[in-house]
């Protein structure tokens, strides 16, 4: 980490370089569990982003006041409070999304992305950088699970964000919107992403050599 | 009695938290490479979830409900779980060092295992009595451990096969888990 | 000891090659296929051809694309194609057969390392995959086209009603003869009990499949239904649906069934028990595929606990 951390690089780090879903493989449960339709994927991603940004900010602000020894319980309380706020907000203003996501909203508390960023980043960095990190990681997660959700919705239901997309003759592969399809689609998507990353790293290696 | 059997078989096969509801995937993917670690984690999970189901029922019934604080469930339960895991860890270290050696390293990881929080929240919304609630926790965690052990055996077998390189690690494990979920799918709609 | 590892390759005995074994399995499967074509007509033949062709093609293309040695001449893809076709209803559209073949050969078999490395039976997994995805297509069982065929509900559905208490045993529209010759609704390769038993016995006599699995499988089903619905119910259940095809040809798959004798008995009993559980206690009338698939998943664990391991051996972990 010799490079000086600026806001943009921290943001991009979360969004691409250390994408929580495709690179760090964190937060698998919602990734497989709620990505049955584009709207739930996007909603879940944004809800997680909101919690992540708020908890990162708060933990960063309080980092000089929280004793090292009780940091874990403190993180839990801070994260759980924001999760409760987001949960109540969704129930009040977006009841459809709230019921589609079910208990997965409450389970953001134990989403390892949120916890990992609190421990690894926010507790050690300034508030502004922590917000950038929360946004980058959150949107990286949102992007990844929305892609997954759209793939599953298009092939498993024939629609994209509820809009009919496939020709009428297409018979949706219903298995894709079930847990089975979540595992398999994520596995296949990872193979593609890994191949792309290999390609990119080979290219940059060649560039450096030249 | 049969009521308990139905719950047990349900969580083992039909409503399996991993295969049917995709909870607890981090430990499911993370500690399933070797059977022995999977077993350690599984036992620790059974221990903690059963205990957590018991304690969260009491917290819910005597602290949250009387004061209309149901919306605090998430915060209260995760705190209970975190504290419980701490206490269990310390108690085991002092009183049962043998068991602590077997389960010790897995205990801290359990706080962020979403099956624990998921089961306790589900139990609370199902409004059951203390005994049933605790038993549900036990059955759900046995179901989790069952799936975890099956998966560990499969992964040990796959480690010896000639899978393409790009299937190594998560991609292969996820697809294997997907195929495994197909086998569990046959039990959907099981009712006695 | 390394030769006894829980690993790859079909566990060959004697000097038989994979190719010869697979050819004999095809031969044993032939009567059921011919019966299926007679019972369900031209579309059955077409589906068998499409399944076999696309399975072989998938294997060929995959191995070429990955620069592997092409092993389509071992006939294992043909066996998978035949078994997949036998598990389709005769009026299934062509694309169902193609999608099923891709799932079976690529997703289930080749991606996990090819022949012997898959942990679930390719044809059965593909069938279950299709069943979950397109249940209306996969669960429409056309009646047989031969004269005097049993029409209406399949025998299993009729028996399900008896088990549920909504119909009486003597109201059943079929008898043992119908079940043996297969003139009733069902997927195209499972209805003719005689042809399947003939092929299955051939495989057992030739020593290609172990008798323990089919015997323990069928015995368990028989005993369970004996207690549930009496002797006649037990016999009918034994002869209906995919049980015979599954017990002789799919539960006995080398790669996905246990290695030891005792392991195989446990495997067979498990198949029988879960088949009983699904046929009786879920909404579905048939549970053979899922019962075998579930025991496929259990197989590595059964092997783990039934394999003799030399004392002090250090296990290799990948």
């Amino acid at each position: 980490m010799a490079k000086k951390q600026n806001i943009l690089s921290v943001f991009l780090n979360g969004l691409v370089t250390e994408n929580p879903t495709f690179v760090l493989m964190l937060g698998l449960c919602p990734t497989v569990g709620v990505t049955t339709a584009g709207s739930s994927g996007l909603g879940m991603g944004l809800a997680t982003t909101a919690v992540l940004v708020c908890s990162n900010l708060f933990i960063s602000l309080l980092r000089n006041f929280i004793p090292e020894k009780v940091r874990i319980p403190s993180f839990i309380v801070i994260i759980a409070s924001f999760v409760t706020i987001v949960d109540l907000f969704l129930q009040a203003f977006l009841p459809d999304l709230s019921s589609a996501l079910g208990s997965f909203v409450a389970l953001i508390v134990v989403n390892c992305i949120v916890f990992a960023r609190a421990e690894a980043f926010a507790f050690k960095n300034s508030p502004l950088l922590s917000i950038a990190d929360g946004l980058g990681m959150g949107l990286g997660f949102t992007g990844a699970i929305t892609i997954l959700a759209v793939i599953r919705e298009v092939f498993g239901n024939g629609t994209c964000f509820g809009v009919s997309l496939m020709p009428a003759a297409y018979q949706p592969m219903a298995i894709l919107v079930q847990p089975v399809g979540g595992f398999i689609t994520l596995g296949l998507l990872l193979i593609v992403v890994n191949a792309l990353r290999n390609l990119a790293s080979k290219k940059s290696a060649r560039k450096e050599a030249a | 009695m049969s009521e308990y059997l139905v719950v047990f078989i349900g969580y083992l096969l039909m409503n399996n938290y991993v295969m049917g509801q995709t909870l607890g995937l981090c430990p499911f993917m993370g500690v399933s490479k070797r059977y022995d670690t999977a077993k350690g984690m599984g036992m620790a999970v059974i221990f903690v979830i059963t205990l957590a189901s018991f304690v969260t029922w009491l917290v819910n019934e005597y602290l949250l409900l009387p004061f209309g604080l149901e919306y605090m469930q998430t915060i209260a339960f995760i705190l209970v779980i975190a504290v419980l895991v701490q206490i269990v860890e310390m108690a085991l270290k002092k009183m049962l060092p043998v068991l602590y050696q077997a389960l010790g390293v897995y205990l801290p990881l359990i706080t962020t295992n979403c099956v624990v929080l998921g089961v306790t929240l589900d139990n609370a919304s199902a409004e059951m009595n203390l005994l049933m609630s605790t038993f549900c926790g036990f059955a759900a965690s046995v179901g989790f451990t069952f799936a975890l052990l099956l998966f560990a055996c499969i992964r040990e077998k796959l480690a010896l096969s000639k899978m393409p390189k790009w299937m190594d690690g998560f991609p292969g494990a996820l697809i294997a888990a997907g195929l495994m979920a197909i086998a569990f799918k046959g039990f959907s709609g099981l009712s006695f | 000891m390394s030769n006894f590892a829980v690993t790859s390759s079909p566990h060959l005995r004697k000097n038989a090659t994979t190719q010869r074994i697979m050819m004999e399995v095809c031969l044993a499967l032939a009567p059921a296929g011919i019966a299926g074509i007679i019972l369900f007509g031209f579309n059955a033949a077409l589906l068998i051809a499409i399944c076999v062709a696309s399975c072989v093609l998938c294997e060929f293309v995959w191995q070429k694309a990955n620069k592997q040695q092409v092993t389509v001449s071992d006939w294992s893809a043909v066996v998978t194609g035949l078994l997949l076709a036998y598990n389709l209803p005769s009026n299934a559209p062509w694309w169902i057969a193609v999608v099923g073949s891709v799932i079976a050969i690529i997703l289930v078999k080749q991606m996990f390392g090819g022949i012997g490395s898959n942990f679930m039976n390719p044809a059965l997994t593909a069938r279950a995959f299709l069943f979950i995805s397109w249940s209306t297509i996969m669960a429409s069982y056309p009646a047989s086209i031969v004269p005097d065929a049993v029409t209406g509900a399949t025998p299993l559905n009729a028996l399900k009603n008896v088990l549920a208490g909504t119909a009486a045993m003597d109201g059943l529209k079929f008898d043992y003869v119908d079940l043996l010759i297969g003139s009733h609704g069902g997927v195209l390769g499972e209805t003719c009990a005689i042809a399947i038993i003939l092929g299955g016995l051939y495989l057992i006599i030739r020593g290609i499949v172990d008798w323990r699995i089919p015997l323990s499988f069928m015995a368990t089903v028989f005993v369970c239904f004996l207690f549930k619905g009496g002797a006649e119910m037990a016999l009918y259940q034994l002869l209906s649906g995919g049980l015979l095809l599954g017990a002789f040809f799919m539960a006995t798959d080398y790669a996905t069934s246990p290695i030891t004798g005792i392991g195989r008995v446990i495997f067979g009993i498990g198949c029988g028990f879960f088949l009983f559980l699904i046929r009786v206690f879920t909404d579905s009338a048939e549970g053979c595929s899922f019962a075998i698939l579930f025991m496929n998943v259990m197989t590595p664990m059964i092997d783990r606990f039934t394999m003799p391991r030399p004392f002090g051996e250090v296990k290799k972990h990948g």
Side-chain angles (χ1 to χ4, degrees):
Chain A
M1 278 298 200
K3 248 192 278 177
K4 191 174 168 283
Q5 289 192 315
N6 62 41
I7 293 178
L8 188 69
S9 75
V10 166
F11 176 71
L12 286 179
N13 178 55
L15 197 64
V16 185
T17 329
E18 285 189 13
N19 186 291
T21 305
F22 290 142
V23 183
L24 301 181
M25 301 302 308
L26 294 175
L28 275 175
C29 301
T31 308
V32 176
V34 302
T35 52
T36 50
S39 56
S40 357
L42 187 64
M44 185 67 199
L46 293 179
T48 310
T49 308
V51 172
L52 195 50
V53 171
C54 296
S55 69
N56 259 11
L57 172 66
F58 250 73
I59 288 164
S60 175
L61 283 172
L62 295 173
R63 70 185 188 280
N64 296 325
F65 302 99
I66 300 175
E68 185 85 18
K69 275 201 170 151
V70 293
R71 67 181 198 287
I72 304 282
S74 321
F75 292 170
I76 290 179
V77 173
I78 294 173
I79 295 169
S81 313
F82 285 115
V83 169
T84 305
I85 294 171
V86 168
D87 195 2
L88 294 176
F89 177 87
L90 288 181
Q91 280 175 25
F93 297 105
L94 297 163
D96 288 345
L97 182 65
S98 176
S99 66
L101 297 179
S103 60
F104 278 102
V105 180
L107 292 179
I108 295 176
V109 176
V110 280
N111 187 324
C112 14
I113 301 174
V114 185
F115 214 81
R117 293 330 285 173
E119 169 84 1
F121 198 95
F123 200 58
K124 297 173 188 146
N125 286 288
S126 70
L128 217 55
L129 279 179
S130 298
I131 293 181
D133 179 72
L135 261 183
M137 283 286 164
L139 294 180
F141 176 66
T142 308
I145 67 170
T146 309
I147 293 173
L148 182 65
V150 167
I151 294 175
R152 288 177 70 185
E153 191 188 343
V154 167
F155 293 103
N157 199 32
T159 58
C160 180
F161 284 98
V163 181
S164 196
L165 193 74
M166 298 301 243
Y170 178 75
Q171 308 236 21
M173 198 186 265
I175 198 168
L176 286 189
V177 292
Q178 296 186 359
V180 179
F183 287 114
I184 293 178
T185 322
L186 181 60
L188 295 176
L189 196 60
L190 266 184
I191 292 172
V192 175
V193 170
N194 286 345
L196 290 177
R197 282 176 58 214
N198 279 343
L199 215 65
S201 67
K202 257 185 215 158
K203 230 178 208 169
S204 67
R206 220 177 294 145
K207 224 183 238 170
E208 263 167 42
Chain B
M1 199 60 217
S2 67
E3 193 186 348
Y4 288 88
L5 192 68
V6 170
V7 166
F8 192 78
I9 293 176
Y11 278 128
L12 204 61
L13 303 176
M14 179 176 51
N15 301 326
N16 191 292
Y17 265 84
V18 191
M19 296 280 92
Q21 309 188 35
T22 69
L23 289 188
L25 292 188
C26 292
F28 186 68
M29 292 288 156
V31 297
S32 56
K33 268 198 193 135
R34 290 178 50 202
Y35 181 82
D36 298 322
T37 43
K39 197 166 122 190
M41 177 56 118
M43 294 306 147
V45 165
I46 294 179
F47 196 68
V48 171
I49 294 189
T50 310
L51 206 58
S53 299
F54 181 80
V55 178
T56 52
W57 188 90
L58 295 176
V59 169
N60 193 42
E61 194 72 11
Y62 295 113
L63 281 178
L64 300 181
L65 291 180
F67 301 104
L69 292 172
E70 291 98 316
Y71 64 91
M72 292 288 280
Q73 261 172 6
T74 310
I75 299 179
F77 284 12
I78 189 70
L79 270 181
V80 166
I81 292 165
V83 170
L84 206 61
V85 169
Q86 269 308 288
I87 294 175
V88 167
E89 196 177 349
M90 289 190 290
L92 283 187
K93 209 174 191 171
K94 278 258 154 49
M95 298 187 296
L96 294 164
V98 185
L99 199 60
Y100 178 74
Q101 281 204 327
L103 307 182
V105 287
Y106 305 104
L107 283 170
L109 297 173
I110 292 182
T111 310
T112 53
N113 179 345
C114 52
V115 177
V116 189
L117 187 60
V119 169
T120 49
L121 286 176
D122 284 355
N123 281 350
S125 62
E127 292 174 2
M128 293 171 294
N129 63 32
L130 179 60
L131 188 61
M132 195 60 179
S133 211
T134 311
F135 184 78
C136 276
F138 172 72
S141 55
V142 170
F144 171 83
T145 304
F146 176 60
L148 179 67
L149 292 182
L150 284 182
F151 194 51
C153 288
I154 290 173
R155 286 187 78 176
E156 284 195 348
K157 177 181 173 172
L158 289 178
L160 301 167
S161 76
K162 292 167 286 186
M163 283 208 285
K165 246 201 150 39
W166 40 261
M167 282 282 279
D168 283 348
F170 274 103
L174 281 166
I175 295 172
L179 297 184
M180 193 173 149
I182 293 181
F184 275 78
K185 198 61 199 153
F187 300 108
S188 60
L190 202 63
S191 65
F192 298 92
Chain C
M1 194 57 204
S2 65
N3 287 341
F4 292 98
V6 196
T7 172
S8 69
S9 296
H11 302 283
L12 308 180
R13 278 160 292 167
K14 303 175 197 155
N15 292 322
T17 62
T18 312
Q19 186 192 37
R20 225 205 65 222
I21 290 180
M22 291 299 166
M23 284 167 92
E24 293 214 41
V25 174
C26 288
L27 190 67
L29 277 169
I34 294 166
I37 296 171
I38 295 170
L39 289 165
F40 295 106
F42 176 71
N43 209 32
L46 196 65
L47 280 175
I48 295 175
I50 295 173
C51 280
V52 171
S54 40
C55 277
V56 172
L57 192 70
C58 280
E59 183 136 310
F60 178 81
V61 170
W62 176 270
Q63 289 175 331
K64 273 283 176 206
N66 284 282
K67 301 189 179 73
Q68 294 168 351
Q69 191 192 351
V70 174
T71 59
V72 290
S73 60
D74 69 10
W75 283 65
S76 67
V78 178
V79 170
T80 302
L82 284 176
L83 288 175
L84 176 62
Y86 289 6
N87 276 297
L88 298 177
S90 63
N91 59 353
W94 62 270
W95 55 266
I96 281 272
V98 175
V99 172
S101 305
V102 173
I103 303 284
I105 296 294
I106 295 192
L107 192 71
V108 184
K109 185 178 167 193
Q110 292 297 346
M111 281 179 62
F112 286 97
I115 184 164
S117 294
N118 50 301
F119 68 96
M120 281 165 78
N121 182 299
L124 272 184
T125 314
R127 191 252 167 124
F129 191 101
L130 298 172
F131 200 91
I132 300 169
S133 279
W134 296 286
S135 48
T136 37
I137 296 175
M138 292 297 289
S140 77
Y141 303 114
S144 168
I145 55 167
V146 295
D148 294 329
V150 181
T151 53
T154 62
L156 275 184
N157 278 321
L159 290 171
K160 181 98 185 169
N161 291 339
V162 175
L163 285 172
T166 55
M169 205 67 186
D170 47 10
L172 294 177
K173 286 197 226 138
F174 57 88
D175 52 27
Y176 291 112
V177 180
D178 293 317
L179 292 177
L180 285 174
I181 62 170
S183 57
H184 55 80
V187 296
L188 70 87
E190 74 177 13
T191 60
C192 182
I194 287 240
I196 296 166
I197 294 172
L198 215 63
L201 289 180
Y202 172 80
L203 287 185
I204 289 174
I205 291 165
R206 297 282 298 159
I208 290 173
V209 304
D210 190 340
W211 53 271
R212 289 184 186 90
I213 294 175
L215 186 70
S216 54
F217 190 168
M218 292 188 287
T220 309
V221 173
F222 185 82
V223 171
C224 285
F225 277 105
L226 198 62
F227 284 106
K228 181 76 189 168
E232 193 169 32
M233 173 59 96
L235 265 177
Y236 277 158
Q237 287 282 356
L238 215 52
L239 294 171
S240 317
L243 171 57
L244 292 171
L245 187 67
F248 283 117
F249 291 96
M250 293 186 287
T252 52
D253 179 3
Y254 294 143
T256 59
S257 59
I259 295 165
T260 59
I262 179 78
R264 288 175 176 170
V265 173
I266 296 171
F267 180 89
I269 293 175
C271 286
F273 175 71
F274 286 119
L275 177 137
F276 170 76
L277 207 64
I278 298 174
R279 277 193 187 176
V280 177
F281 296 107
T282 73
D283 307 328
S284 158
E286 174 60 305
C288 187
S289 313
F290 284 111
I292 297 174
L293 284 175
F294 192 73
M295 291 312 289
N296 285 167
V297 167
M298 298 271 292
T299 293
M301 187 179 267
I302 296 175
D303 274 338
R304 190 187 170 89
F305 288 110
T306 56
M307 285 267 290
R309 196 173 282 130
F311 184 74
E313 185 202 25
V314 178
K315 259 185 77 243
K316 220 178 92 186
H317 292 301

